[in-house]
Amino acid sequence: MLRWVRQQLGFDPPHQSDTRTIYIANRFPQHGHYVPQKFADNRIISSKYTVWNFVPKNLFEQFRRVANFYFLIIFLVQLMIDTPTSPITSGLPLFFVITVTAIKQGYEDWLRHKADNEVNGAPVYVVRSGGLVKTRSKNIRVGDIVRVAKDETFPVDLVLLSSDRVDGSCHVTTASLDGETNLKTHVAVPETAVLQSVANLDKLVAVIECQQPEADLYRFVGRITVSQQTEEIVRPLGPESLLLRGARLKNTKEIFGVAVYTGMETKMALNYKSKSQKRSAVEKSMNSFLIIYLIILLFEAILSTILKYAWQAEEKWDEPWYNEKTEHERNSSKILRFISDFLAFLVLYNFIIPISLYVTVEMQKFLGSFFIGWDLDLYHEETNQRAQVNTSDLNEELGQVEYVFTDKTGTLTENEMQFRECSINGIKYQEVNGKLTPEGFTEDSPDGNRHSLMKEEELFLKAVCLCHTVQINADQTDGADGPWHANGIASPLEYYASSPDEKALVEAASRVGVVFTGTSGDSMEVKSLGKSERYKLLHVLEFDPNRRRMSVIVESPSGEKLLFTKGAESSILPRSKSGEIDKTRIHVDEFALKGLRTLCVAYRRFTPEEYQEIGKRLHEARTALQQREERLADVFNFIERDLELLGATGVEDKLQEKVQETIEALRLAGIKVWVLTGDKHETAVSVSLSCGHFHRTMNILELVQHKSDSTCAEQLRQLAKRIKEDHVIQHGLVVDGTSLSLALREHEKLFMEVCKNCSAVLCCRMAPLQKAKVVRLLKTSPEKPITLAIGDGANDVSMIQEAHVGIGIMGKEGRQAVRNSDYAIARFKFLSKLLFVHGHLYYIRIATLVQYFFYKNVCFITPQFLYQFFCLFSQQTLYDSVYLTLYNICFTSLPVLIYSLFEQHVHPHVLQSKPVLYRDISKNAHLGFKPFLYWTILGFFHAFVFFYGSYLLMGEDTSLLGNGQMFGNWTFGTLVFTVMVITVTMKMALETHFWTWINHFVTWGSIVFYFIFSLFYGGIIWPFLHTQDMYFVFVQLLSSGSAWFAIILIVVACLFLDVVKKVLYRHLQPTSTEKVQMYSNRVALSDEFIALQPLSRARNQLSKIRWKKIRVQSAQHVTLLKAGTEGRTIGNC
């Protein structure tokens, strides 16, 4: 039981050994000495809490907040000693704050549990007791044989046993893990590949030994021992045998595999970061401010205690005749009395720490988050998806972002390749109506009219159709006619490719008449305009990043041996000896300037003697036991020479809509964009150029393909030197995963220096945890910048969780990123509205809210401190206890809450169209020390005016009524309180730029409510109250003309200086935001005038305002996007 509890709390991992032994189908040895290893179950957990740890963990997180911990101490003090106020005044608000926050965070975590349960409850099939058994994903155990069908995702990490293919191979796509959409081929060992039925698999006796789980997606070391009759066959297992959870089975009807890693031990889960509580910069500032106010509180309490004893040094004040001490009080310890008095003053002044601030902030964040979901500008109509808010605690953090880390595939791009142009024999072609048309030729042929291809065109297209690793859906290759109907028109084939570029090229070739119809054995079949040709595949020279090309050697139907090669222009053109090399090079540069991904295509004919020599060399290199890679590279270079250039292709990786504009806007806002992708170097650079992440004028620096620490360090030093020498030019940095690992090992500081001096950084071939490490590197740098990570796949989850703000894209790669993100949007372009409008407004609102709360509590409690000088520090309260309780809860709470929900200090359209305004709020500008000092001093100034203004105007010689009755202490306190409520409410009104009827209602309604409440509270004798010191006090106060005069004069005196300061600063030293505000106000006035005009005149007026968006909905409706409403309709004018 204890072990289970420790495992649930995460203290006791299930396994301790360095390796694990897995008995397939859980057929354990029968001898008695074997002790089964303990493995994790197959549940995926993305939530923060469990039923067992919710209460202690949530309480711990909440009491990390200074105010919560402080009020807990105050509550305990009030329980232990006799204090001026009841324990309820501290305990009840604290309980309310803790409960509301716990409910909110519990609800958000319940949503995560719900999403986890959907994944863990998914149906799967396992082989048990000689048959297929349907069960839930969470019930899979290590050792179970699992069946996965076509297009299903793998529920665990599996070692492939067999597939529906004779050779035991299958194809998978790992887009949700590493962002790559290409097909990867996995193979089973020969001894298990033949076991294609459940009955045969059930008889399998085998043991797998492998390493314990690790996060590296591309590493797996193990071996399988298969028992066949009397012998045991041992086969090595590598990454090609491992099927990862989250990957998807493609182009294979079904596979069987044995579960080796389950649940949170799968490689996908190990690449998740543990869920941690994210805290915004605003909350950290709040805690700092609370500590300062706690110091002020302690100072006031200590000073009051000291002055009390200084007063009581005189005997007449120590024990006056009307308040004699008891015998117990005379004999009590002076130290204990001092401590007791200090704690009593602490309780008396404790309202300077605003516990209701946290309640208001929680409500503001929770209610304010709904506006993101309701924003129609963040709604994607094609997919019917709106923005989601998974964590409302970070709304204001959206306004503080300094670095954006983005995935490429599916985030910046649509993940769709499209053939655009090609160059054949020095002539540029485009695809028009299903045929290749030379550039400038616009005459369209009739639809369906088949045309003949020139010899060079046909050879080029055949090269494209043969030099690839494309697979065809097995369901489409059956039948005598193949993919052709009787009328000769091709039906669309479903291609699966090792590269999205290859797929786009083969599909384009099929559209213009040269169709790759599949492979059978070692033959590849091509149909050129309906005529079938079969080529024998002799050798494949695989792609590698050093050569940057791939080749195939085939035998044509005529028996000729041909080499077809395609690759980057830098690796093909220097090896070409004939063809239109110069023209093709010019065309390639033109394609690249358009942002297209380019490949060059070439071929070579072999004589029988040359082919014999090549075959011999290839065989020797491939069977070599020593230096096999180097020998193969030499042979490949020997083969791929003296090429005849055929042409080049231009393929577009379709960018998402408005990606370029969004990245440029982020740059204008002072935000640096880093692209982190698992894709290849060339692909990533091409997309960075096309999306505007890299500019054509930018100097691109590279830190790639470094395998030793010394070469990496030397290259970093050279890059740093180049940046210093060319400091005027903008620089972009490209770094790959292996070089990054070396750079972060011992040269982290130098690497960071290079990165920070670059305008844009691109990291390619990144493992998921490497993405998180890069984000953490920036987070923990000395400047402590606010980071945002955005991605769409499971490979992005780690960086999404690591960044201050994580955003998931609702793309095609599942829902892992969305489930683990703080916010989710449908498209990358929505990021600008999310940051520049929602983030900007949320930050301004909450920054004002926090500082206003401290201001009004300084105004509230400082007169209480000043009053002690007039009552011999006897701890007499200035305000009635009901006023003490209701000041923050009722009288002053609603205006600031409504402000924090609806305030728009600048028109949303202006915020989005002028990203530079985002710089004005960066680095927590509105919650820095200067604004905090201003609001604190203002609070003390107003408090002094309240107290001494009331004292001077309504002093000892001023009578209240005509009968000569004088002011009492409750009347004086009520006057101070009345002035204070009106002043702090009016101060909030001065800060408000955007007025709605709700603002008017709560602002003036709060003042009216205070007066009505005070009249009823003091005008009636309430039977349930023990004492009623306030009976008729407020009525008498309001019946005095001098009191009304004092209220008006003090309020005007307090706010007059504020108004003068605002006017002078706006006209003499206006900020860029204030200039925009004045411009917006002028336009807003014209809007109000326009709204009253007839429709035709309104249209004319509206046309003069250039930045307004006008949407004519019908002949009788014009929607005007105006501050305060997304769509304001002038109807039936």
Side-chain angles (χ1 to χ4, degrees):
M1 179 64 184
L2 180 62
R3 180 182 175 82
W4 179 83
V5 170
R6 285 176 60 82
Q7 285 187 11
Q8 293 301 308
L9 294 174
F11 297 126
D12 192 13
H15 55 76
Q16 303 294 339
S17 175
D18 291 334
T19 61
R20 57 172 53 189
T21 304
I22 300 154
Y23 291 85
I24 294 179
N26 291 305
R27 290 191 178 87
F28 301 117
Q30 298 302 314
H31 58 77
H33 301 294
Y34 176 72
V35 178
Q37 286 180 291
K38 301 289 185 181
F39 302 119
D41 59 28
N42 198 38
R43 289 178 302 161
I44 286 291
I45 302 169
S46 63
S47 54
K48 288 193 297 185
Y49 304 112
T50 66
V51 174
W52 306 99
N53 69 14
F54 176 74
V55 173
K57 191 173 181 179
N58 188 264
L59 287 177
F60 171 75
E61 288 177 352
Q62 292 207 56
F63 282 113
R64 284 196 308 173
R65 292 175 168 174
V66 175
N68 289 351
F69 184 73
Y70 163 76
F71 269 87
L72 177 65
I73 299 298
I74 292 295
F75 175 66
L76 295 176
V77 167
Q78 287 178 301
L79 289 175
M80 290 186 292
I81 67 168
D82 182 23
T83 56
T85 56
S86 167
I88 296 175
T89 58
S90 296
L92 197 59
L94 177 65
F95 176 77
F96 178 72
V97 170
I98 297 296
T99 305
V100 168
T101 307
I103 291 171
K104 170 182 164 291
Q105 293 180 351
Y107 171 72
E108 290 175 347
D109 205 60
W110 175 77
L111 293 178
R112 295 189 191 100
H113 275 281
K114 189 178 177 183
D116 289 342
N117 290 337
E118 288 181 13
V119 175
N120 296 329
V124 294
Y125 288 91
V126 297
V127 177
R128 287 180 186 162
S129 305
L132 275 179
V133 178
K134 186 177 181 180
T135 184
R136 296 180 183 276
S137 174
K138 64 181 179 182
N139 297 328
I140 298 176
R141 299 169 297 172
V142 171
D144 280 346
I145 298 175
V146 182
R147 191 204 76 171
V148 180
K150 181 184 175 184
D151 291 328
E152 290 181 352
T153 57
F154 301 115
V156 291
D157 287 353
L158 300 165
V159 166
L160 179 62
L161 295 178
S162 66
S163 71
D164 63 322
R165 300 168 187 260
V166 178
D167 60 356
S169 66
C170 71
H171 301 286
V172 304
T173 176
T174 57
S176 67
L177 294 172
D178 56 15
E180 293 190 12
T181 56
N182 57 327
L183 283 185
K184 294 182 173 67
T185 303
H186 292 257
V187 292
V189 298
E191 287 70 27
T192 62
V194 296
L195 307 176
Q196 295 179 306
S197 66
V198 174
N200 289 335
L201 283 166
D202 194 52
K203 298 174 185 175
L204 175 64
V205 178
V207 180
I208 292 176
E209 294 172 272
C210 62
Q211 62 190 150
Q212 291 290 7
E214 68 171 16
D216 191 341
L217 295 175
Y218 311 107
R219 188 170 184 269
F220 177 68
V221 179
R223 64 183 179 184
I224 182 170
T225 305
V226 182
S227 300
Q228 291 186 345
Q229 298 174 350
T230 57
E231 64 173 335
E232 291 186 345
I233 301 172
V234 180
R235 296 282 186 186
L237 297 175
E240 72 281 353
S241 303
L242 188 67
L243 306 172
L244 301 178
R245 177 174 188 147
R248 190 179 295 272
L249 183 65
K250 289 286 188 182
N251 206 20
T252 310
K253 288 182 180 177
E254 67 175 12
I255 63 99
F256 290 94
V258 59
V260 290
Y261 304 131
T262 51
M264 299 307 292
E265 293 182 340
T266 59
K267 289 183 180 290
M268 182 181 82
L270 290 173
N271 275 281
Y272 290 170
K273 270 192 79 272
S274 59
K275 197 78 177 177
S276 60
Q277 178 75 10
K278 292 183 179 181
R279 299 168 68 205
S280 70
V282 169
E283 185 175 335
K284 293 172 185 174
S285 296
M286 281 167 52
N287 283 346
S288 302
F289 297 161
L290 284 167
I291 291 172
I292 294 173
Y293 271 71
L294 189 59
I295 293 170
I296 294 173
L297 169 65
L298 292 173
F299 171 76
E300 289 182 348
I302 292 170
L303 180 63
S304 297
T305 308
I306 292 171
L307 290 175
K308 176 180 180 177
Y309 282 92
W311 245 177
Q312 291 178 353
E314 296 183 43
E315 188 175 341
K316 64 174 182 176
W317 299 123
D318 181 37
E319 192 175 351
W321 60 268
Y322 54 83
N323 189 21
E324 293 184 358
K325 296 180 180 178
T326 62
E327 194 65 31
H328 174 73
E329 287 174 335
R330 289 193 184 98
N331 298 329
S332 62
S333 168
K334 290 185 177 180
I335 295 174
L336 288 178
R337 273 190 292 157
F338 185 91
I339 294 172
S340 177
D341 283 328
F342 168 73
L343 292 175
F345 279 116
L346 207 62
V347 170
L348 187 65
Y349 303 147
N350 82 82
F351 288 97
I352 198 173
I353 306 293
I355 191 171
S356 56
L357 168 62
Y358 279 114
V359 180
T360 310
V361 167
E362 290 290 345
M363 290 176 66
Q364 189 268 348
K365 289 182 175 182
F366 182 69
L367 296 174
S369 64
F370 287 104
F371 291 109
I372 294 177
W374 292 338
D375 190 343
L376 290 179
D377 286 342
L378 301 181
Y379 170 74
H380 192 243
E381 193 170 357
E382 293 175 20
T383 56
N384 191 30
Q385 290 172 328
R386 59 186 179 89
Q388 293 180 16
V389 179
N390 299 327
T391 305
S392 60
D393 292 338
L394 303 170
N395 293 343
E396 66 278 5
E397 206 82 328
L398 293 169
Q400 294 295 294
V401 175
E402 296 172 60
Y403 282 86
V404 168
F405 299 90
T406 174
D407 179 40
K408 179 190 73 67
T409 309
T411 304
L412 298 179
T413 68
E414 292 282 8
N415 209 3
E416 295 176 6
M417 298 292 180
Q418 293 183 342
F419 173 80
R420 290 299 182 201
E421 296 181 67
C422 67
S423 171
I424 304 174
N425 200 31
I427 301 172
K428 279 205 289 187
Y429 290 82
Q430 293 178 335
E431 184 186 351
V432 179
N433 289 340
K435 70 175 184 179
L436 282 180
T437 306
E439 188 179 43
F441 184 78
T442 58
E443 182 182 349
D444 294 336
S445 62
D447 290 340
N449 182 24
R450 305 283 296 283
H451 70 286
S452 61
L453 292 168
M454 294 171 59
K455 182 182 177 182
E456 294 85 356
E457 295 172 356
E458 188 174 4
L459 184 58
F460 175 84
L461 293 172
K462 284 181 180 178
V464 168
C465 285
L466 293 171
C467 185
H468 58 69
T469 56
V470 172
Q471 304 285 332
I472 296 180
N473 187 344
D475 299 336
Q476 293 184 297
T477 57
D478 300 331
D481 292 333
W484 293 82
H485 294 310
N487 61 4
I489 299 174
S491 65
L493 285 166
E494 188 177 359
Y495 290 112
Y496 296 102
S498 60
S499 160
D501 301 74
E502 290 186 338
K503 181 182 177 185
L505 292 174
V506 173
E507 286 176 340
S510 70
R511 290 194 298 270
V512 298
V514 181
V515 184
F516 169 65
T517 57
T519 59
S520 59
D522 59 354
S523 296
M524 302 177 74
E525 187 176 346
V526 174
K527 284 192 176 180
S528 178
L529 301 178
K531 181 183 175 182
S532 180
E533 295 180 3
R534 191 177 291 270
Y535 290 80
K536 185 177 181 181
L537 181 61
L538 301 174
H539 297 285
V540 176
L541 281 56
E542 298 85 359
F543 175 88
D544 70 66
N546 293 321
R547 284 169 45 245
R548 300 176 71 184
R549 59 187 179 271
M550 77 156 290
S551 303
V552 294
I553 301 175
V554 296
E555 183 180 335
S556 69
S558 63
E560 194 174 17
K561 306 294 192 297
L562 299 171
L563 169 78
F564 289 112
T565 303
K566 78 170 188 298
E569 71 277 5
S570 59
S571 65
I572 299 293
L573 295 180
R575 295 182 166 272
S576 301
K577 69 172 185 178
S578 59
E580 297 289 347
I581 298 174
D582 293 333
K583 289 183 179 179
T584 304
R585 182 179 281 112
I586 293 170
H587 291 166
V588 166
D589 291 341
E590 290 175 1
F591 294 164
L593 285 171
K594 295 176 183 177
L596 302 182
R597 297 152 63 97
T598 59
L599 289 173
C600 286
V601 182
Y603 85 113
R604 177 185 175 187
R605 286 185 170 89
F606 293 121
T607 64
E609 294 78 16
E610 285 176 333
Y611 178 72
Q612 191 174 0
E613 172 69 16
I614 286 168
K616 181 182 176 183
R617 288 196 178 199
L618 274 173
H619 178 74
E620 289 176 354
R622 282 185 165 143
T623 55
L625 295 177
Q626 302 293 328
Q627 297 181 328
R628 181 182 297 178
E629 292 181 358
E630 291 82 354
R631 295 182 66 174
L632 275 174
D634 291 339
V635 175
F636 289 172
N637 286 329
F638 173 75
I639 296 171
E640 297 165 330
R641 61 190 175 88
D642 299 332
L643 303 174
E644 185 174 340
L645 186 63
L646 291 173
T649 61
V651 176
E652 180 184 24
D653 185 1
K654 188 179 178 184
L655 290 173
Q656 287 189 18
E657 187 184 1
K658 294 186 178 178
V659 166
Q660 283 181 299
E661 293 89 337
T662 304
I663 290 178
E664 185 57 33
L666 292 172
R667 192 175 281 119
L668 288 172
I671 298 172
K672 288 191 175 182
V673 180
W674 287 35
V675 175
L676 312 181
T677 177
D679 240 336
K680 297 172 185 174
H681 173 213
E682 296 82 7
T683 306
V685 171
S686 176
V687 173
S688 278
L689 286 167
S690 61
C691 73
H693 179 234
F694 284 167
H695 288 301
R696 297 287 168 188
T697 57
M698 196 177 278
N699 183 22
I700 307 298
L701 310 174
E702 290 192 348
L703 183 68
V704 294
Q705 296 181 13
H706 289 284
K707 296 182 179 179
S708 71
D709 188 64
S710 57
T711 59
C712 182
E714 179 60 30
Q715 179 69 7
L716 274 173
R717 281 189 282 270
Q718 289 181 7
L719 293 178
K721 185 179 178 182
R722 284 185 62 184
I723 291 172
K724 287 180 181 178
E725 291 173 352
D726 302 330
H727 61 277
V728 178
I729 305 172
Q730 281 192 327
H731 299 279
L733 177 67
V734 183
V735 57
D736 62 9
T738 53
S739 303
L740 180 71
S741 298
L742 294 170
L744 297 185
R745 193 176 298 165
E746 293 183 9
H747 312 288
E748 185 177 300
K749 188 175 180 181
L750 183 59
F751 176 70
M752 282 302 302
E753 182 185 343
V754 171
C755 288
K756 287 180 181 178
N757 289 318
C758 290
S759 303
V761 178
L762 168 65
C763 301
C764 54
R765 296 310 259 168
M766 299 281 285
L769 276 183
Q770 278 186 313
K771 293 184 177 184
K773 285 180 181 177
V774 170
V775 176
R776 191 184 311 120
L777 183 68
L778 263 295
K779 269 179 65 178
T780 56
S781 63
E783 294 81 7
K784 296 286 190 298
I786 304 298
T787 58
L788 179 147
I790 179 169
D792 72 319
N795 61 317
D796 304 314
V797 168
S798 294
M799 73 169 181
I800 284 173
Q801 292 180 342
E802 179 65 52
H804 292 95
V805 182
I807 297 182
I809 295 284
M810 303 171 199
K812 302 174 183 177
E813 309 299 349
R815 279 290 185 269
Q816 291 96 329
V818 171
R819 282 208 317 270
N820 289 276
S821 64
D822 304 308
Y823 303 89
I825 53 179
R827 286 294 181 270
F828 183 80
K829 66 178 181 179
F830 295 150
L831 186 62
S832 60
K833 177 76 181 284
L834 195 63
L835 297 185
F836 302 153
V837 178
H838 290 286
H840 194 125
L841 293 177
Y842 281 134
Y843 176 74
I844 291 293
R845 291 165 183 169
I846 203 164
T848 306
L849 181 151
V850 168
Q851 298 186 109
Y852 174 78
F853 250 93
F854 285 111
Y855 154 79
K856 72 186 182 75
N857 276 48
V858 168
C859 290
F860 179 41
I861 216 64
T862 303
Q864 178 78 70
F865 171 70
L866 297 175
Y867 184 60
Q868 296 306 304
F869 287 88
F870 294 84
C871 65
L872 295 183
F873 295 92
S874 60
Q875 297 153 12
Q876 168 66 36
T877 62
L878 177 62
Y879 316 118
D880 182 73
S881 60
V882 172
Y883 285 161
L884 278 172
T885 307
L886 297 183
Y887 174 75
N888 279 315
I889 295 176
C890 295
F891 300 145
T892 60
S893 60
L894 280 180
V896 67
L897 177 61
I898 296 302
Y899 170 93
S900 66
L901 290 175
F902 297 114
E903 172 66 358
Q904 293 178 10
H905 67 301
V906 177
H907 192 289
H909 176 72
V910 177
L911 287 176
Q912 191 164 4
S913 61
K914 295 183 179 294
V916 72
L917 294 177
Y918 193 82
R919 295 172 182 256
D920 292 350
I921 61 168
S922 63
K923 299 189 181 296
N924 208 12
H926 287 247
L927 274 176
F929 182 71
K930 285 185 178 179
F932 168 72
L933 192 63
Y934 165 74
W935 281 91
T936 302
I937 292 173
L938 185 68
F940 280 113
F941 169 71
H942 283 181
F944 273 81
V945 175
F946 299 156
F947 185 84
Y948 287 108
S950 300
Y951 180 76
L952 293 172
L953 291 173
M954 308 296 289
E956 297 176 0
D957 299 329
T958 306
S959 62
L960 178 63
L961 299 173
N963 61 7
Q965 187 174 347
M966 305 298 291
F967 265 90
N969 66 314
W970 293 117
T971 311
F972 177 75
T974 304
L975 175 62
V976 173
F977 192 83
T978 303
V979 171
M980 178 170 56
V981 168
I982 296 172
T983 303
V984 298
T985 305
M986 292 295 292
K987 174 62 179 171
M988 188 76 262
L990 284 177
E991 294 299 316
T992 304
H993 294 92
F994 178 67
W995 285 88
T996 65
W997 68 267
I998 302 177
N999 292 82
H1000 283 291
F1001 178 77
V1002 298
T1003 301
W1004 316 122
S1006 293
I1007 297 173
V1008 171
F1009 172 75
Y1010 164 71
F1011 278 88
I1012 294 174
F1013 173 83
S1014 298
L1015 287 172
F1016 274 90
Y1017 172 59
I1020 301 172
I1021 297 177
W1022 301 98
F1024 52 83
L1025 294 177
H1026 297 296
T1027 59
Q1028 198 159 345
D1029 299 320
M1030 295 296 293
Y1031 180 67
F1032 227 66
V1033 169
F1034 197 71
V1035 176
Q1036 288 183 333
L1037 179 68
L1038 296 187
S1039 65
S1040 169
S1042 55
W1044 280 104
F1045 174 75
I1047 291 170
I1048 295 170
L1049 187 62
I1050 295 170
V1051 170
V1052 171
C1054 286
L1055 298 178
F1056 178 73
L1057 291 178
D1058 282 356
V1059 174
V1060 171
K1061 172 186 169 292
K1062 282 181 177 290
V1063 171
L1064 289 177
Y1065 268 79
R1066 277 178 175 271
H1067 286 83
L1068 299 178
Q1069 291 181 332
T1071 63
S1072 56
T1073 303
E1074 287 171 343
K1075 289 176 182 177
V1076 170
Q1077 284 175 345
M1078 289 187 281
Y1079 173 73
S1080 299
N1081 289 337
R1082 286 198 293 270
V1083 175
L1085 287 173
S1086 67
D1087 290 343
E1088 300 296 338
F1089 172 75
I1090 292 166
L1092 300 174
Q1093 308 305 308
L1095 184 59
S1096 59
R1097 193 180 304 168
R1099 284 178 180 164
N1100 292 332
Q1101 294 284 344
L1102 286 167
S1103 65
K1104 296 176 183 177
I1105 305 171
R1106 294 181 180 177
W1107 56 267
K1108 288 288 183 182
K1109 289 183 178 177
I1110 305 164
R1111 189 165 63 244
V1112 179
Q1113 293 179 329
S1114 68
Q1116 295 180 331
H1117 287 78
V1118 173
T1119 299
L1120 181 63
L1121 294 184
K1122 180 177 180 292
T1125 55
E1126 290 301 323
R1128 178 180 171 193
T1129 303
I1130 306 171
N1132 301 322
C1133 294

